Amino acid sequence: MTEPTIRPSETTLRGLLDGPWAHVRQKSRDQLRGDLFAPVAGLGVAEHRERVMEQLRTIAGTEMAGYGFSSAHGGSDDVGASVVAFEMLVCDLSLMVKVGVQWGLFGGAIQALGTEEHHAWYLPRVISLGLPGCFAMTETGHGSDVQGLRTTARYDPDTQEFVVDTPDDDARKDYIGNAARDGVLAVVFAQLITGGTNHGVHALLVPIRDADGHPMPGVRIEDCGPKAGLNGVDNGRLWFDHVRVPRTALLNRYGDVAPDGSYSSPIESRNRRFFTMLGTLVRGRISVAGGAGTATKAALTIAIRYADTRRQFESPSGEEVRLLDYRAHQRRLLPALARSYALHFAQEELVRTLHDGSRGDPLSEEDQRRLEARAAGIKAVATWHATHTIQTCREACGGAGYLANNRLPQLKADTDVFTTFEGDNTVLLQLVSRGLLTRYRDSFGDLDPKGMARFVAGQFIDTVIERTAARPLIERLVDATRRRGESDIRERGWHLDLLEDREQHIVEGLARRLRRAGSGDAAFEAFNDAQDHVLKAGRAHVDRIVLEAFVAAIDRCEDPDTRAVLDKLCDLYALSIVEEDRGWFLEHGRLTASRAKAVTEAVNTLCAELRPHAAVLVDAFALPDEWLAAPIALGAEETRQEERRTGGASR
Amino acid sequence: MTEPTIRPSETTLRGLLDGPWAHVRQKSRDQLRGDLFAPVAGLGVAEHRERVMEQLRTIAGTEMAGYGFSSAHGGSDDVGASVVAFEMLVCDLSLMVKVGVQWGLFGGAIQALGTEEHHAWYLPRVISLGLPGCFAMTETGHGSDVQGLRTTARYDPDTQEFVVDTPDDDARKDYIGNAARDGVLAVVFAQLITGGTNHGVHALLVPIRDADGHPMPGVRIEDCGPKAGLNGVDNGRLWFDHVRVPRTALLNRYGDVAPDGSYSSPIESRNRRFFTMLGTLVRGRISVAGGAGTATKAALTIAIRYADTRRQFESPSGEEVRLLDYRAHQRRLLPALARSYALHFAQEELVRTLHDGSRGDPLSEEDQRRLEARAAGIKAVATWHATHTIQTCREACGGAGYLANNRLPQLKADTDVFTTFEGDNTVLLQLVSRGLLTRYRDSFGDLDPKGMARFVAGQFIDTVIERTAARPLIERLVDATRRRGESDIRERGWHLDLLEDREQHIVEGLARRLRRAGSGDAAFEAFNDAQDHVLKAGRAHVDRIVLEAFVAAIDRCEDPDTRAVLDKLCDLYALSIVEEDRGWFLEHGRLTASRAKAVTEAVNTLCAELRPHAAVLVDAFALPDEWLAAPIALGAEETRQEERRTGGASR
């Protein structure tokens, strides 16, 4: 059943996983050590926040803080490094998020939406943490619907100032990281009004605390209080009451107000302007997907190492059986491991595209929209995968998994919100589908039902299987399978073909369905009726591009034994997806009943074949023991069993 | 799409849900109020433990503490009431678990495993909380495998004492509630050895703390430290080093040691004795299933009330759409609501069977085994449903759902461990399947692979669809459908037939598969290969008996409108299960492709039809606002929207 002759190389696996930013990963492993960065269980909220701020100050003194900023202002022009460094911060996800708020969202918004004057003054202070800041977008009443924000910034030509106002509690800024304790300056998103005209949502820099840490006049700050997790991040609420900021506080790259109050923008369409501004913030979503990935890897490392040593119930031979030798346990952990690998490589493609677009030539509008759609889709799938898998890992470790010192509770609680922040997953998958229904031309528009209805009524709908980087390789594999007309259950071309065909069928069906819709409320009804279809299309797309990324990564691996194990892992990823959705494949005549049963059988066999390699597959993630910090993953179980065997008591 | 003419009665629904122990539920609602019982977010561990202990002391002064004990010793002989009162403790699940430890596990073990002398002395002190206690079964090395426990109790005839010992850390008692702070006495499970013979696991009363709260000589106590949740419960570890207790400390109902050290038992077979002793503890599992149910209802009440008021994104008509009007949102919450109803009624049947068996004639051995199997199965399904649904509710409330003061984080963290304590769910489902494979004769035996292999090799395997209380009704419905040979997608007889047929097919296939197996290691291999099949059989069985319980409950409802809504809800429960597992139904020719698609369509339609009734369906759970305590479920959202509408600012 097992194949002991295959010897995958941990070094090769690790090299493949570490990828183009291996040096950044290694620097994180080397630097984030010692008492200051060791995970600590059971901290109170105040203590935890203080600790994370101290960690942040330490990081501010390193290269990491500047990765994502232009070298002209103290950064290193390495956007890819900034995302990879963020995702490595698994020693405490509160630190991860706080880093993301300061240098990703807050600093990133100034860099992306501001102009040279803002960059020159603010970015060095952002990087050094001299100026801790907030990204004040979400309001209590409007989170997913950013265009519906109700904070206002009215231009007063007499004083050449903007007056920022929170009309009511619906419009207070909510869940804002860095607001409750540390933030001094906030990027505030508000409806920009000048001369009585509303030009839509824009961002302004608004000081929220004075040098003594007190709220600025007109600013009210409230603590969001304890949360399910991430209690090292000081989330808060902000209200503005006639707060005046100078005209230059407007981050004016995509829209500016002259001293006399006249508005100008390089982008004429208000809708297009809005989505262009939002699009510059895509890095946040990619970062969250990466962070979710590392947390999942940490949980899998803990649960698989434990399952590989923990024993329960005797076998007939009299020896107690290791948990990972049980089929049920393999089924819980190994398909999740396969998916983590697959998502890792899809994430790497995202980061590379983002990074390349930030150097040399900027991305074309079509490529930018595609990047945004992929980021949305992979963020949704990766964060749901995290929630699901970390939960499974907790359960797979039983009572030990419930103890805080074994890390799983914190990983679970901290990543939980990843499914709904930086874009609610359900909304994001709809964004993906929408992208699939058009060639991205003339397709800017809201994601809300009204916009969707307008979109539906506009009949822009067209479908296209868009290409991934590995397209030539993929097509070769698919064509070979199609030509032969039959295929082994583990044939890669067949897996690719199945997932591509499923996506195409679902998207085309959706397009037909929406084309029949009318306009106005009827279009909304049609959209709403099709909502599960829309979500399914987004999901099918992501499954397919993730598989293609995995296939492309294996193609880069030259060691035959390592490649053989990765091939099995990729089979397991693909066939688990087919098994999970075999209802669809059967309903649509893509699988016969006997083939569907063979898929289930193949998943079982693959689990058994991969079982001996499970430990090396998680070791290759190379998360330092200091970060895992869970005794059950670091030899406690072996020690106990050894003591029992040798009669060495420990009292 | 909606049917506004149907007016279900909240009172009728509530009466049906409150069931035979309505008075107990109402007493809990009336008594557990005020500051002492109000949920509080963000407590530290020490503070939380102190608070829960204070709540426990208050409850000790009420009837609730004695529900489960015999009236001869201060109780009220009402086992059903003890389970129902337990499940109502949703104001703080730490309190729920601490109540369960003291009066369920600790007191329950003395009552079930001890004899009159123990009862007379201990039970009044258990009820009054004069004697806080522990249930010290689980060891670090052995949790699921209770027969493998390694703590020893050796009888010393010279002093007529037992000497209790922890040989090494593998055998320390772990995760023991009440151990770290409050416990004075422990029911300790240990291998009973007298005259050099091991008679298997028995329970003894061992004092662990003196009057000053210090550990007794030879007892070592360690705090398990912070956990994912339930931090108001003081879980700890216990080691015993030559701790001497008198001969009478043995809870000797099922096994006794005479002064000279000779062992006697009313049950000759060691295996049968062990399972009989464990069987008396079935109430714990039933209680956990009930507690998980209430927590799930609380989460659904919060999420559905919020979804019913919260708006996001404008529709073409210009009004913002309520979340619960989106199909995707309905799909996330309403099938889960339907399952909660179904499980509620299945739970009520369990409690009634347990209760009836504790009065009048005790259950026959067959009925007792069946109760244990059902308790195991419903505990597994109800706790997984809780974990899954509370997570969904958290996500459905977005950022607001992540804030501690909206209760969902605590409900989620606290119930998480329910899937692995009082029997790991994966092990429990295997127990269910095992019961399905035999007529319960000669079938005692271990649940471990060795025992399973012995069982497989023994060829006891036979299958039977066992009856539920509602059998005549069910058979009438199924027969009617079968006679007609065709059926509407919402026909109850068809649903029942589908689930019964699925169960029978899976169990028979499993039996065939296991009959082919050899013995020894080969039998273990066969069992392990079939483990996913075994789990599936257990699951299919539970799905079926839960549906039958729901059907029987609807039959008790006389108000036609209420019944009409419950019928839709039951359709949704049944069809969601069919949809979820339609891969199986298609593979096995039980559904055609078009019928499978019609099932999905029916689930969508049912969601839309039930949407207007969602609020009343959760209100009927009648969980007091004081227990829900989540502002988003108690009008905060309406107030905010109203302020916005009327321009009433709140600064």
Side-chain angles (χ1 to χ4, degrees):
Chain A
M1 213 159 77
T2 61
E3 303 176 49
T5 48
I6 301 184
R7 299 283 294 272
S9 151
E10 186 185 324
T11 315
T12 305
L13 278 172
R14 180 175 163 169
L16 198 66
L17 288 163
D18 273 4
W21 284 276
H23 58 289
V24 173
R25 295 184 197 274
Q26 196 50 45
K27 195 167 280 178
S28 294
R29 292 181 188 118
D30 294 341
Q31 288 181 347
L32 304 175
R33 324 192 57 141
D35 285 349
L36 180 59
F37 290 99
V40 179
L43 290 175
V45 168
E47 211 181 349
H48 196 176
R49 287 178 176 178
E50 177 52 38
R51 180 177 171 83
V52 168
M53 192 58 185
E54 201 186 324
Q55 294 169 333
L56 201 70
R57 280 190 286 261
T58 305
I59 291 177
T62 71
E63 201 182 345
M64 192 189 302
Y67 279 144
F69 297 101
S70 52
S71 48
H73 306 110
S76 46
D77 275 323
D78 192 342
V79 171
S82 77
V83 178
V84 168
F86 171 90
E87 81 178 45
M88 293 299 280
L89 290 164
V90 77
C91 57
D92 186 340
L93 275 77
S94 286
L95 173 62
M96 184 190 277
V97 169
K98 188 109 171 167
V99 162
V101 168
Q102 174 67 16
W103 294 305
L105 294 173
F106 168 63
I110 296 175
Q111 166 129 337
L113 304 178
T115 47
E116 179 53 27
E117 205 179 331
H118 301 115
H119 296 169
W121 174 259
Y122 290 107
L123 292 186
R125 290 163 176 80
V126 169
I127 294 171
S128 71
L129 200 60
L131 204 56
C134 306
F135 181 80
M137 179 184 271
T138 295
E139 296 174 359
T140 304
H142 293 89
S144 294
D145 182 8
V146 178
Q147 280 186 298
L149 295 179
R150 295 178 54 249
T151 300
T152 53
R154 267 172 224 281
Y155 186 66
D156 176 355
D158 294 344
T159 61
Q160 299 191 12
E161 289 169 320
F162 289 101
V163 186
V164 181
D165 267 298
T166 305
D168 51 44
D169 278 359
D170 180 84
R172 70 185 179 191
K173 296 295 176 184
D174 210 345
Y175 319 113
I176 308 301
N178 251 350
R181 181 185 184 272
D182 299 315
V184 169
L185 186 69
V187 172
V188 175
F189 289 81
Q191 302 289 347
L192 185 76
I193 299 163
T194 171
T197 304
N198 184 339
H199 295 277
V201 174
H202 287 66
L204 301 95
L205 292 166
V206 183
I208 59 168
R209 280 193 177 81
D210 63 21
D212 299 327
H214 300 302
M216 294 292 283
V219 176
R220 192 175 124 210
I221 305 178
E222 189 177 272
D223 196 322
C224 285
K227 305 184 296 286
L230 297 178
N231 279 304
V233 183
D234 54 322
N235 295 82
R237 303 188 178 102
L238 300 171
W239 288 256
F240 303 99
D241 183 7
H242 293 85
V243 173
R244 290 183 167 265
V245 293
R247 190 180 61 92
T248 52
L250 179 67
L251 295 175
N252 59 344
R253 178 165 165 201
Y254 295 107
D256 203 2
V257 173
D260 69 354
S262 57
Y263 179 84
S264 63
S265 168
I267 304 177
E268 202 172 334
S269 148
R270 182 173 149 169
N271 229 16
R272 180 176 295 245
R273 186 163 63 232
F274 173 73
F275 284 103
T276 303
M277 284 168 69
L278 275 198
T280 60
L281 309 173
V282 66
R283 183 174 54 168
R285 283 182 189 157
I286 298 177
S287 298
V288 167
T294 315
T296 313
K297 288 171 197 162
L300 282 168
T301 306
I302 293 168
I304 286 178
R305 284 193 188 164
Y306 184 61
D308 195 27
T309 50
R310 169 78 175 176
R311 296 166 183 273
Q312 198 76 175
F313 292 119
E314 281 185 10
S315 76
S317 67
E319 213 182 3
E320 287 181 308
V321 180
R322 289 174 200 266
L323 297 188
L324 202 51
D325 288 330
Y326 288 109
R327 169 157 292 171
H329 217 79
Q330 291 168 7
R331 275 239 167 210
R332 296 172 88 175
L333 296 177
L334 301 184
L337 176 64
R339 188 181 290 252
S340 277
Y341 263 76
L343 283 166
H344 175 95
F345 296 117
Q347 171 75 10
E348 188 186 301
E349 277 188 9
L350 271 186
V351 174
R352 214 182 298 178
T353 308
L354 175 74
H355 180 80
D356 292 349
S358 74
R359 320 273 282 218
D361 290 336
L363 296 177
S364 70
E365 194 171 299
E366 183 176 331
D367 286 341
Q368 172 69 24
R369 292 292 90 77
R370 182 181 297 127
L371 173 66
E372 288 165 20
R374 292 206 168 165
I378 288 174
K379 186 269 184 187
V381 171
T383 56
W384 269 326
H385 173 63
T387 295
H388 179 80
T389 302
I390 300 173
Q391 177 66 35
T392 300
C393 290
R394 198 305 284 162
E395 293 179 29
C397 295
Y402 197 62
L403 299 182
N405 78 337
N406 282 322
R407 282 307 302 288
L408 295 168
Q410 195 69 53
L411 290 171
K412 194 162 95 77
D414 287 345
T415 52
D416 180 1
V417 78
F418 285 25
T419 57
T420 52
F421 77 4
E422 288 282 326
D424 180 278
N425 283 358
T426 303
V427 175
L428 293 182
L429 276 187
Q430 295 177 60
L431 170 63
V432 175
S433 293
R434 204 196 141 105
L436 298 173
L437 289 169
T438 164
R439 291 184 194 280
Y440 299 107
R441 54 159 205 270
D442 305 322
S443 69
F444 286 91
D446 320 279
L447 275 174
D448 63 1
K450 194 168 64 178
M452 203 67 189
R454 204 185 304 128
F455 172 73
V456 167
Q459 309 283 311
F460 295 136
I461 296 163
D462 189 5
T463 68
V464 58
I465 284 284
E466 32 129 352
R467 319 274 134 167
T468 61
R471 203 64 207 169
L473 166 67
I474 306 300
E475 278 174 3
R476 213 164 53 240
L477 291 165
V478 172
D479 288 347
T481 298
R482 284 187 182 160
R483 245 194 325 275
R484 284 224 326 285
E486 59 176 305
S487 52
D488 184 79
I489 200 120
R490 296 206 190 175
E491 193 165 316
R492 185 74 66 242
W494 183 60
H495 305 158
L496 290 161
D497 195 20
L498 267 183
L499 295 201
E500 181 172 317
D501 175 46
R502 176 179 65 151
E503 176 185 343
Q504 192 146 17
H505 185 92
I506 294 173
V507 175
E508 282 174 1
L510 181 62
R512 268 196 309 277
R513 188 168 169 180
L514 294 181
R515 269 194 223 105
R516 285 194 302 267
S519 60
D521 278 335
F524 168 64
E525 284 294 330
F527 157 75
N528 196 31
D529 280 354
Q531 204 181 16
D532 53 337
H533 199 158
V534 171
L535 293 173
K536 178 134 186 113
R539 183 75 199 215
H541 173 69
V542 176
D543 286 345
R544 200 254 310 165
I545 61 171
V546 169
L547 175 61
E548 294 187 359
F550 200 171
V551 171
I554 295 175
D555 198 53
R556 297 196 293 273
C557 176
E558 291 180 357
D559 175 61
D561 274 18
T562 305
R563 195 175 165 129
V565 168
L566 287 172
D567 266 327
K568 287 178 197 292
L569 202 64
C570 188
D571 287 342
L572 182 58
Y573 168 68
L575 292 175
S576 311
I577 285 178
V578 175
E579 187 191 29
E580 228 172 63
D581 201 25
R582 67 196 203 287
W584 188 91
F585 289 103
L586 285 156
E587 274 171 6
H588 293 83
R590 265 60 177 188
L591 286 183
T592 62
S594 65
R595 185 74 163 184
K597 290 178 190 170
V599 167
T600 296
E601 197 45 48
V603 168
N604 284 336
T605 309
L606 283 162
C607 283
E609 288 176 9
L610 284 163
R611 187 260 173 269
H613 308 299
V616 69
L617 285 167
V618 293
D619 287 349
F621 293 142
L623 297 173
D625 287 352
E626 277 186 68
W627 295 355
L628 297 174
I632 55 168
L634 302 176
E637 189 60 25
E638 290 88 331
T639 305
R640 206 178 46 62
Q641 289 181 24
E642 182 59 25
E643 266 173 26
R644 173 179 162 187
R645 239 185 332 267
T646 58
S650 66
R651 269 168 291 165
Chain B
M1 212 159 77
T2 61
E3 300 176 52
T5 47
I6 301 185
R7 299 285 293 269
S9 150
E10 186 184 327
T11 314
T12 306
L13 278 172
R14 180 175 162 169
L16 198 66
L17 288 163
D18 273 4
W21 284 274
H23 58 289
V24 173
R25 293 183 199 275
Q26 196 49 45
K27 195 167 280 179
S28 294
R29 291 181 189 119
D30 294 340
Q31 287 182 347
L32 305 175
R33 322 193 60 137
D35 285 350
L36 180 59
F37 290 99
V40 179
L43 291 175
V45 168
E47 212 181 347
H48 196 177
R49 287 177 176 178
E50 178 52 40
R51 181 177 171 83
V52 168
M53 192 57 185
E54 201 186 325
Q55 293 169 333
L56 201 69
R57 280 189 287 261
T58 305
I59 291 176
T62 70
E63 200 183 347
M64 192 189 302
Y67 279 144
F69 297 100
S70 51
S71 48
H73 307 110
S76 46
D77 276 321
D78 193 343
V79 171
S82 76
V83 178
V84 168
F86 171 91
E87 83 179 42
M88 294 299 281
L89 291 163
V90 77
C91 57
D92 186 340
L93 275 78
S94 286
L95 173 62
M96 183 190 276
V97 169
K98 189 110 170 167
V99 162
V101 168
Q102 174 68 17
W103 293 305
L105 294 174
F106 168 63
I110 295 175
Q111 167 130 334
L113 304 178
T115 48
E116 180 53 28
E117 204 180 331
H118 301 115
H119 297 169
W121 176 259
Y122 290 108
L123 293 186
R125 290 163 175 81
V126 169
I127 294 171
S128 71
L129 200 60
L131 204 55
C134 306
F135 181 80
M137 181 184 268
T138 295
E139 295 174 0
T140 304
H142 293 88
S144 294
D145 181 7
V146 179
Q147 282 187 298
L149 295 180
R150 294 178 55 250
T151 299
T152 54
R154 267 171 225 279
Y155 185 65
D156 177 356
D158 294 343
T159 60
Q160 299 191 11
E161 290 170 321
F162 289 101
V163 185
V164 181
D165 266 298
T166 304
D168 49 45
D169 277 0
D170 180 84
R172 69 185 181 194
K173 295 296 175 184
D174 210 346
Y175 319 113
I176 308 302
N178 251 350
R181 181 183 184 273
D182 297 317
V184 168
L185 185 68
V187 171
V188 175
F189 288 81
Q191 301 289 346
L192 183 75
I193 298 164
T194 171
T197 306
N198 185 336
H199 294 278
V201 173
H202 287 65
L204 302 94
L205 293 167
V206 183
I208 60 167
R209 279 194 176 81
D210 62 22
D212 299 326
H214 300 303
M216 294 291 283
V219 175
R220 195 175 122 208
I221 304 178
E222 190 177 274
D223 197 322
C224 284
K227 306 182 296 287
L230 298 178
N231 279 305
V233 183
D234 53 322
N235 294 83
R237 301 187 180 104
L238 300 171
W239 288 256
F240 303 99
D241 184 7
H242 292 85
V243 174
R244 289 182 167 264
V245 293
R247 190 179 62 90
T248 52
L250 178 67
L251 295 175
N252 58 344
R253 178 164 165 202
Y254 294 107
D256 202 3
V257 172
D260 68 353
S262 57
Y263 180 84
S264 63
S265 168
I267 303 176
E268 204 173 334
S269 148
R270 182 172 150 171
N271 227 16
R272 181 176 294 245
R273 185 162 64 231
F274 173 74
F275 283 104
T276 302
M277 284 165 69
L278 275 198
T280 60
L281 308 173
V282 66
R283 184 173 53 168
R285 282 182 190 155
I286 298 178
S287 299
V288 167
T294 316
T296 313
K297 289 170 196 161
L300 282 168
T301 306
I302 294 168
I304 286 177
R305 284 194 188 162
Y306 184 62
D308 195 28
T309 48
R310 169 77 175 177
R311 294 165 183 275
Q312 199 77 177
F313 292 119
E314 282 184 11
S315 75
S317 67
E319 210 181 6
E320 285 180 308
V321 181
R322 289 177 200 264
L323 297 189
L324 202 51
D325 289 330
Y326 289 109
R327 167 155 295 172
H329 218 78
Q330 292 169 6
R331 275 236 165 215
R332 295 171 90 176
L333 296 177
L334 301 185
L337 178 63
R339 188 182 290 253
S340 277
Y341 263 75
L343 282 166
H344 174 95
F345 295 116
Q347 171 75 11
E348 188 186 302
E349 278 189 9
L350 269 186
V351 174
R352 213 181 297 179
T353 308
L354 175 74
H355 180 80
D356 292 348
S358 73
R359 319 272 283 221
D361 292 334
L363 296 178
S364 69
E365 195 171 298
E366 184 175 330
D367 286 342
Q368 173 69 23
R369 291 292 90 77
R370 181 181 299 126
L371 173 65
E372 288 165 21
R374 292 208 170 163
I378 288 174
K379 184 272 185 184
V381 171
T383 56
W384 270 327
H385 173 62
T387 295
H388 179 79
T389 302
I390 300 172
Q391 176 67 36
T392 300
C393 290
R394 197 306 283 163
E395 292 178 29
C397 295
Y402 198 63
L403 299 183
N405 78 338
N406 282 322
R407 282 307 302 290
L408 295 168
Q410 195 70 53
L411 291 171
K412 192 162 96 79
D414 287 345
T415 52
D416 180 1
V417 78
F418 286 23
T419 57
T420 53
F421 79 4
E422 289 282 324
D424 181 278
N425 283 357
T426 302
V427 176
L428 293 181
L429 277 187
Q430 294 177 61
L431 170 64
V432 174
S433 293
R434 207 199 139 106
L436 298 173
L437 289 170
T438 164
R439 290 186 194 277
Y440 298 107
R441 54 158 206 267
D442 305 323
S443 69
F444 286 93
D446 318 281
L447 274 173
D448 62 0
K450 195 168 63 177
M452 203 67 188
R454 205 186 303 131
F455 172 75
V456 166
Q459 309 281 313
F460 296 135
I461 297 163
D462 189 4
T463 68
V464 57
I465 283 283
E466 31 128 354
R467 317 275 135 166
T468 62
R471 203 64 209 172
L473 166 66
I474 306 301
E475 279 174 3
R476 213 164 51 239
L477 292 164
V478 171
D479 288 348
T481 298
R482 285 188 182 159
R483 248 194 323 273
R484 284 223 328 283
E486 58 175 303
S487 52
D488 184 79
I489 199 119
R490 295 204 192 178
E491 193 166 316
R492 184 76 65 244
W494 183 62
H495 304 158
L496 290 161
D497 194 21
L498 267 184
L499 294 202
E500 181 173 318
D501 175 46
R502 178 180 64 151
E503 176 185 344
Q504 191 147 18
H505 185 91
I506 293 174
V507 175
E508 283 174 0
L510 181 60
R512 268 196 307 281
R513 188 168 171 182
L514 294 182
R515 271 195 220 103
R516 286 196 299 268
S519 61
D521 279 337
F524 169 63
E525 284 294 331
F527 157 74
N528 196 30
D529 280 355
Q531 203 179 18
D532 53 336
H533 199 157
V534 171
L535 294 172
K536 178 134 187 114
R539 184 73 199 218
H541 173 69
V542 176
D543 286 346
R544 199 254 308 163
I545 61 172
V546 170
L547 175 61
E548 294 187 359
F550 199 171
V551 171
I554 295 175
D555 198 53
R556 297 195 293 274
C557 176
E558 291 180 357
D559 175 61
D561 274 18
T562 306
R563 196 175 163 129
V565 168
L566 286 173
D567 267 328
K568 288 179 195 293
L569 202 62
C570 188
D571 288 343
L572 182 57
Y573 168 67
L575 292 175
S576 310
I577 284 178
V578 175
E579 188 191 29
E580 227 172 62
D581 201 26
R582 69 196 201 285
W584 188 91
F585 290 103
L586 286 155
E587 274 171 6
H588 293 83
R590 263 64 176 184
L591 286 182
T592 61
S594 65
R595 184 76 161 182
K597 289 177 190 168
V599 167
T600 296
E601 197 46 47
V603 168
N604 284 336
T605 308
L606 283 163
C607 282
E609 288 176 11
L610 284 162
R611 188 262 172 266
H613 308 300
V616 69
L617 285 167
V618 293
D619 288 349
F621 293 142
L623 297 173
D625 286 353
E626 276 186 70
W627 297 354
L628 297 174
I632 53 169
L634 303 175
E637 188 62 23
E638 290 88 330
T639 306
R640 205 180 46 62
Q641 290 182 23
E642 181 59 26
E643 268 174 24
R644 174 181 163 186
R645 238 183 337 263
T646 59
S650 66
R651 267 168 292 163

